[in-house]
Amino acid sequence: MTPVRTEFADGVAVFTIDRPEARNAVNQEVAQQLAAAMDEFERRDDITIGILTGAGGTFCAGMDLKAFTRGELPSVEGRGFGGIASAPPSKPLIAAVEGWALAGGCELALSADLIVAADDAKFGLPEVKRGLAAAAGGLLRLPKILPYQLAMEIALTGDPITAARAHEFGLVNTLTPSGGALDGARELAARIAANGPLAVRATKQVVSMAIRYTDPDLFAAQRGILDPVFVSDDAQEGARAFAEKRAPKWTGH
């Protein structure tokens, strides 16, 4: 069974990460398939907007840590984490979030242009709890949306934020009842897809450019700071401790 399902209809594309047994964690296969799906999304003139969601009541738990300990990276050259994070599509993308959007999963949601979330959903960047750092755009994008101090609290504590609080501060566009995020995203997408596709695409590009969401210089600048974290002993220890269900033993190396 493919870990990414795609649907194209009525001007709207729906991309579903379908690994519910792993809480839709992203491995290399997921990243490659999402990148391929985004390429098709970009090519199709009949599709105006996309929706990214996860199967089984969870959006995405981030990087597959078990795959990481085997040396598998959940990214695609030129596209970044999940095949999306460092090079989002030029067409608008909605994240439909149920349950948890954690770590790289939160960063995938942040790489979207709009977020529709169930009222019991939660967002978080817990990388620091695993000896890692949020290198897929989360540390760059979060303070552009949330107040500086709140963004810092989320990033430095690794603690999650509820969808209700995220909505209060503008991170989430629309709240829905539990189980209704995808329907809510489809409703929003239909309103956008009813507009001129060239105008929608151009408008998204200018708005995103205005706040430098896709500025390659920012990604280049953060690599020099964060790359050493990913090759550290603590990074491997954090992943092993998670897989072994124990507290990590940090060394600072």
Side-chain angles (χ1 to χ4, degrees):
M1 184 173 67
T2 179
V4 176
R5 292 187 281 109
T6 61
E7 171 193 334
F8 299 94
D10 302 321
V12 179
V14 179
F15 312 100
T16 305
I17 304 173
D18 194 5
R19 298 186 72 214
E21 74 286 352
R23 296 197 301 164
N24 299 321
V26 177
N27 58 14
Q28 193 170 73
E29 186 179 14
V30 169
Q32 290 170 342
Q33 290 194 11
L34 276 177
M38 292 298 151
D39 287 342
E40 183 176 2
F41 174 44
E42 295 277 39
R43 285 194 302 267
R44 292 186 58 151
D45 293 335
D46 61 325
I47 301 299
T48 301
I49 185 167
I51 298 170
L52 177 64
T53 193
T58 295
F59 181 71
C60 176
M63 177 174 67
D64 187 326
L65 291 175
K66 292 181 180 178
F68 176 73
T69 62
R70 298 192 297 267
E72 186 178 322
L73 297 179
S75 59
V76 173
E77 184 69 29
R79 302 295 291 269
F81 177 80
I84 301 174
S86 63
S90 62
K91 297 177 182 180
L93 184 66
I94 302 172
V97 179
E98 295 281 350
W100 290 95
L102 282 179
C106 183
E107 293 178 293
L108 287 182
L110 290 171
S111 70
D113 304 288
L114 303 151
I115 299 177
V116 175
D119 54 16
D120 57 354
K122 292 184 180 180
F123 300 81
L125 297 174
E127 282 86 346
V128 290
K129 295 179 181 289
R130 304 276 176 251
L132 298 170
L139 301 183
L140 304 175
R141 292 178 170 126
L142 204 61
K144 294 176 181 177
I145 305 169
L146 299 178
Y148 176 85
Q149 286 81 3
L150 179 56
M152 270 296 187
E153 179 183 341
I154 292 168
L156 295 179
T157 65
D159 295 337
I161 183 174
T162 65
R165 195 170 188 216
H167 181 257
E168 177 186 352
F169 286 99
L171 178 64
V172 170
N173 295 84
T174 304
L175 286 176
T176 73
S178 181
L182 181 55
D183 286 343
R186 286 185 186 277
E187 180 181 347
L188 178 57
R191 288 162 51 201
I192 294 169
N195 298 324
L198 293 178
V200 166
R201 189 171 191 166
T203 298
K204 178 256 167 84
Q205 289 175 305
V206 173
V207 173
S208 63
M209 179 178 64
I211 54 175
R212 300 174 67 82
Y213 257 31
T214 56
D215 188 340
D217 293 334
L218 290 177
F219 279 89
Q222 78 163 4
R223 277 197 293 271
I225 299 171
L226 300 183
D227 281 358
V229 176
F230 282 81
V231 297
S232 69
D233 293 340
D234 273 358
Q236 290 292 323
E237 166 62 10
R240 280 194 300 269
F242 177 84
E244 295 167 9
K245 296 182 173 60
R246 60 173 174 80
K249 299 177 181 177
W250 307 124
T251 65
H253 297 95

